[in-house]
Amino acid sequence: MPPNRTAWGIEVGQFALKALRVELVDGNVTVTDFAVIPHQRVLADPAVSDQTGMIRHTLAAFVSANQERLTGVPVVMSLPGNAGFARFSSLPSVEAKMLPSMVEYEAKQQIPFPIDEVEWDSHIFAQDESGQCPIGIFAVTKERLRELLSLYSECGIEPDVLTLSPVAVANALHYDLDLGDASSIVACIDIGTTSSDTIVIDKGSFWFRTFPIGGSNFTESIVQTLEKQGVNYGKAERIKVDRMPSENVLRARTMAMRGVTGQLVDEIGRSREFYQDAHHGSEIHDAYGVGSTLKISGLRTKIAGDLRLKLKRFEEFKRVMLSGPDAPDFAANSINLLTALGLGIQGLGLAKVQLNLSPISRVRQRIWKSKTPWFVAAASIFIATAGAMFTSVWIDSSALAALRTESESADKEVNRARELLAALEAAQATAGNTETANMTALLEDREVWAYLVCDTYAALATANPASAEVGSDPKAILAIAAANRRLVQLEDFSGAPKVDTNNNRQIEVSVRITLTRLPTGDPDPTKFFNETGCVLDWFRQKKERIDAPYTIVEESLTVPNWTKIVGGTREVQSSGSPDTDTGSQSGSGFGGSSSSNSSKPSFGGGGLQGRKKLDAPPTSGPSGGGTLGGAGGESGDGGGASNDGSSDPAASKTRRKRTEVVGVDEKLPALDLAKDAPIPAAPVLLTPTEARYEGILKFTVTLKGATAAPAPPVDGSADSQ
């Protein structure tokens, strides 16, 4: 692939944005523009609370000044070394086709994150003398990339390539110093604002190590030492780079930076030892120094003296030039532009290490975008070729136009016959399958009603009644005041199918319920019925379920209109509802007392709604009795009149008289069912002054699956008859 003619290299550091626009002229890299835009404040300053906003402001200034020159030009940007992950290792000599799979396996072993949470890339170096194949594996988390790319995109920059700063420095040195694969070892110490890199280039391969000590550590140590003198981060930054401080300031600065200087020297020495131990025979005696921190008086001398290392500041480029009035400024900033140069060289396609940590999806988008002109050209050729083919077909079609006209009449008749035949076959198939369809329809939606009943009971159970309320001991129930009972009872359940405007099948469900619960200080049970976690809330929470054959239409849920019932007397609590049953409920589970004049609750029964009254009058006595009769004294033992008509309680517990046997022509004696086979009535669980409330809960469900069949057409002849 031919190299690009122009590219931008942009580094967004902690102190400033540095950018180079490079162009390939006669095979040589030429700088056509550069920019160094400091942030409003150093990002490492603890007083900076919005680093992202500061970077956004700097990027906006750069884009505003170079928007036209950024269009259509590859942009390569860097990530600091401490933002990524790098590992260097060696693989045994294998066939070239096996290397990618071995590198991927090594990456999964080396990267300390799940492989699907990072973007990673690798570089394979030439085999060394021992036959080993050195590789470098580099990675960065996808979350960090999303943050950076989102910020750059907001400012109008869409980088084509993202790489690590140490890799960019290695590419810049390799190009500017014209290092071949046989060149001697070259080292570089890049001291940044918050971290530093030790980079080694050795015979075509490279290695680097990042450690978290930089210029900001020197500034912070000065702030801590001179804090009592009112020195903040900004003043400490100026004191750090002051070339001619007063004697007192120089002494205080030297004392403050001594500890950080020692740490920096130790880390550089440790990096050199790491490399030399892993590469026997490689000795590092010379190194280039990069970064504004090396402008601190005496720092370079201290590092060189303690490590016995010849450390030279990288003052100017050797192969890269900038002509014109800006040349002096470019030379003065050379020590800080090495990373930006390496990024620009990679954008031109001339880098030794082509590393790209951009998300794969973005890379693919840009590749397809670059191929769009070729796709357009191919489509144009295809359209032209197809047009020629269709022209030939049109000419042939014109010649057959006369024959087509004569055959149209015959074709119409043939099509008409085919339509009639198809209609006949469809009618026969429909007639043959009618019986099967009718039998199958009997099983359709058979599980819906079971779900509706279960859901209704589950919703009512959320009222959370006490264990005594659902027990079998009437005395325990009466011990709880009616207004405090949480039990909600289902009295009647029904549903009616319908079809909505979208042809969806629905069922309108109507549930008659009773309860006695009243919220504190509120004469209306609606608040309790509609509270969080109670009946209506259950329906709202469960409206959408995978296992249910329907969905609950939340808008159809309404608070019932309550009817208050006290001692058998009904009164509507809220606006009347045409669905509210106004019949007597004195015999239900909340039925009234058997004696309206007694204030003491009785366990005698009342009638059960919906059951036919018997002609025989109810038995008399304290046991009471409803329309179905029933036993039960105050003991609630279900006693009552005995089988022989005696009201003696002892007689009711004796053995039943032997059944009479009659002849064929004889008639059976008359029976009094209310007397001989009384039905025990439910115990009365309310005093005459306690109230219960009855209401109709309505809601609609939409069935899942196929929509309803369209209505058959109306036959107008039926109306005329």
Side-chain angles (χ1 to χ4, degrees), residues 156-481:
I157 297 179
E158 297 288 345
D160 298 88
V161 177
L162 283 173
T163 188
L164 296 175
S165 294
V167 177
V169 171
N171 284 330
L173 290 174
H174 199 279
Y175 178 84
D176 193 64
L177 300 179
D178 198 12
L179 300 176
D181 292 344
S183 300
S184 59
I185 189 169
V186 173
C188 178
I189 300 172
D190 185 359
I191 304 177
T193 303
T194 58
S195 63
S196 301
D197 304 307
T198 301
I199 305 158
V200 180
I201 304 173
D202 187 6
K203 298 178 181 178
S205 65
F206 85 101
W207 174 93
F208 72 86
R209 176 176 177 262
T210 302
F211 49 89
I213 298 178
S216 63
N217 297 92
F218 290 98
T219 306
E220 290 170 0
S221 65
I222 294 174
V223 171
Q224 293 174 2
T225 303
L226 303 179
E227 185 177 8
K228 295 182 179 179
Q229 282 76 24
V231 175
N232 57 18
Y233 194 93
K235 292 181 180 179
E237 188 72 25
R238 292 191 291 273
I239 292 173
K240 179 180 70 175
V241 297
D242 190 357
R243 305 292 295 179
M244 300 181 64
S246 63
E247 183 176 352
N248 292 335
V249 173
L250 177 62
R251 185 182 303 110
R253 184 180 72 179
T254 303
M255 293 295 294
M257 296 193 306
R258 179 175 298 173
V260 179
T261 302
Q263 295 176 10
L264 179 63
V265 171
D266 290 344
E267 290 295 338
I268 296 173
R270 187 175 293 113
S271 300
R272 181 173 67 174
E273 292 172 3
F274 283 168
Y275 184 80
Q276 293 179 162
D277 290 344
H279 301 77
H280 299 291
S282 298
E283 297 289 337
I284 301 176
H285 301 292
D286 300 327
Y288 289 97
V290 180
S292 298
T293 305
L294 283 177
K295 295 180 181 179
I296 298 176
S297 299
L299 179 60
R300 183 164 58 91
T301 304
K302 174 67 174 174
I303 296 173
D306 288 359
L307 297 177
R308 297 181 181 179
L309 179 71
K310 186 177 180 181
L311 184 62
K312 300 178 292 182
R313 283 179 54 183
F314 195 90
E315 298 289 354
E316 61 180 3
F317 298 114
K318 295 179 172 53
R319 295 181 62 189
V320 179
M321 296 294 178
L322 173 68
S323 58
D326 295 332
D329 291 339
F330 177 71
N333 286 282
S334 295
I335 194 172
N336 295 320
L337 292 174
L338 196 62
T339 300
L341 175 62
L343 298 173
I345 289 173
Q346 181 168 349
L348 293 175
L350 302 178
K352 177 68 176 178
V353 179
Q354 293 287 347
L355 176 67
N356 190 359
L357 295 175
S358 291
I360 297 298
S361 59
R362 291 174 61 91
V363 174
R364 289 173 179 167
Q365 284 179 352
R366 293 194 172 276
I367 291 176
W368 285 107
K369 187 176 181 180
S370 65
K371 295 180 181 293
T372 299
W374 296 98
F375 292 151
V376 172
S380 301
I381 295 173
F382 174 77
I383 292 172
T385 304
M389 294 175 60
F390 284 117
T391 301
S392 176
V393 172
W394 178 79
I395 293 173
D396 294 339
S397 299
S398 298
L400 298 174
L403 295 176
R404 183 181 302 110
T405 301
E406 296 176 359
S407 64
E408 285 181 354
S409 177
D411 290 342
K412 289 181 180 179
E413 294 300 326
V414 172
N415 292 336
R416 176 62 177 167
R418 288 174 179 170
E419 291 175 359
L420 293 174
L421 181 60
L424 175 61
E425 292 175 351
Q428 291 174 343
T430 302
N433 293 331
T434 299
E435 183 177 353
T436 302
N438 289 339
M439 295 298 294
T440 304
L442 294 176
L443 301 177
E444 186 177 1
D445 300 327
R446 62 189 182 279
E447 78 281 5
V448 172
W449 293 103
Y451 267 93
L452 284 173
V453 173
C454 290
D455 281 359
T456 302
Y457 274 108
L460 299 184
T462 58
N464 194 22
S467 58
E469 294 183 59
V470 295
S472 59
D473 186 358
K475 292 183 179 180
I477 299 174
L478 285 168
I480 306 173

Side-chain angles (χ1 to χ4, degrees), residues 68-148:
E68 293 184 0
R69 309 187 74 186
L70 286 167
T71 304
V73 178
V75 175
V76 183
M77 300 185 71
S78 65
L79 301 167
N82 60 356
F85 168 85
R87 284 290 185 275
F88 298 90
S89 60
S90 296
L91 297 177
S93 178
V94 295
E95 296 181 9
K97 64 181 181 180
M98 296 181 61
L99 268 177
S101 60
M102 294 187 66
V103 171
E104 183 176 0
Y105 175 80
E106 191 71 16
K108 291 179 180 179
Q109 301 300 315
Q110 295 284 354
I111 298 175
F113 301 98
I115 199 70
D116 57 348
E117 294 182 6
V118 299
E119 295 288 348
W120 68 280
D121 199 359
S122 62
H123 184 79
I124 303 174
F125 301 100
Q127 291 186 359
D128 56 19
E129 297 174 355
S130 63
Q132 297 284 316
C133 186
I135 63 170
I137 297 172
F138 314 92
V140 64
T141 61
K142 292 182 179 180
E143 183 179 359
R144 180 66 182 273
L145 284 179
R146 281 195 295 269
E147 293 175 357
L148 288 176

Side-chain angles (χ1 to χ4, degrees), residues 502-525:
N502 295 323
N503 210 32
N504 294 318
R505 296 181 300 152
Q506 293 184 325
I507 296 178
E508 288 185 341
V509 182
S510 179
V511 184
R512 181 160 58 85
I513 54 176
T514 57
L515 55 83
T516 64
R517 173 70 174 177
L518 284 178
T520 304
D522 192 339
D524 188 349

Side-chain angles (χ1 to χ4, degrees), residues 520-542:
T520 304
D522 192 339
D524 188 349
T526 296
K527 182 177 180 181
F528 159 69
F529 194 72
N530 196 31
E531 68 183 9
T532 302
C534 205
V535 179
L536 289 182
D537 189 54
W538 188 95
F539 281 109
R540 297 187 189 104
Q541 297 297 328
K542 302 292 185 178

Side-chain angles (χ1 to χ4, degrees), residues 430-702:
T430 302
N433 293 331
T434 299
E435 183 177 353
T436 302
N438 289 339
M439 295 298 294
T440 304
L442 294 176
L443 301 177
E444 186 177 1
D445 300 327
R446 62 189 182 279
E447 78 281 5
V448 172
W449 293 103
Y451 267 93
L452 284 173
V453 173
C454 290
D455 281 359
T456 302
Y457 274 108
L460 299 184
T462 58
N464 194 22
S467 58
E469 294 183 59
V470 295
S472 59
D473 186 358
K475 292 183 179 180
I477 299 174
L478 285 168
I480 306 173
N484 295 333
R485 300 176 196 169
R486 302 183 64 91
L487 180 64
V488 180
Q489 289 187 311
L490 187 149
E491 301 293 338
D492 185 58
F493 180 95
S494 63
K498 71 170 188 175
V499 178
D500 66 2
T501 56
N502 295 323
N503 210 32
N504 294 318
R505 296 181 300 152
Q506 293 184 325
I507 296 178
E508 288 185 341
V509 182
S510 179
V511 184
R512 181 160 58 85
I513 54 176
T514 57
L515 55 83
T516 64
R517 173 70 174 177
L518 284 178
T520 304
D522 192 339
D524 188 349
T526 296
K527 182 177 180 181
F528 159 69
F529 194 72
N530 196 31
E531 68 183 9
T532 302
C534 205
V535 179
L536 289 182
D537 189 54
W538 188 95
F539 281 109
R540 297 187 189 104
Q541 297 297 328
K542 302 292 185 178
K543 63 181 181 180
E544 292 278 354
R545 286 168 295 161
I546 297 176
D547 58 331
Y550 51 75
T551 59
I552 299 173
V553 181
E554 183 176 352
E555 296 77 9
S556 67
L557 286 167
T558 56
V559 177
N561 293 330
W562 302 105
T563 299
K564 182 177 180 182
I565 304 172
V566 181
T569 302
R570 308 172 65 90
E571 56 179 286
V572 178
Q573 286 295 101
S574 55
S575 59
S577 170
D579 299 299
T580 302
D581 186 5
T582 58
S584 173
Q585 302 295 325
S586 61
S588 68
F590 294 105
S593 171
S594 62
S595 174
S596 61
N597 297 326
S598 174
S599 61
K600 183 177 181 181
S602 170
F603 298 144
L608 293 178
Q609 182 187 12
R611 301 291 296 272
K612 184 178 179 181
K613 294 183 179 180
L614 300 179
D615 295 334
T619 58
S620 61
S623 61
T627 57
L628 292 183
E634 290 184 0
S635 63
D637 58 1
S642 64
N643 292 325
D644 58 359
S646 173
S647 60
D648 184 2
S652 65
K653 297 183 179 180
T654 61
R655 179 180 295 274
R656 176 184 177 90
K657 291 191 299 184
R658 185 172 180 177
T659 304
E660 297 183 31
V661 180
V662 299
V664 177
D665 298 330
E666 296 183 51
K667 295 183 180 180
L668 289 172
L671 297 178
D672 186 350
L673 292 179
K675 177 180 178 181
D676 294 340
I679 299 176
V684 177
L685 302 179
L686 296 175
T687 66
T689 59
E690 290 179 324
R692 64 187 176 92
Y693 299 86
E694 179 182 85
I696 303 296
L697 167 63
K698 288 188 176 183
F699 62 92
T700 302
V701 298
T702 301

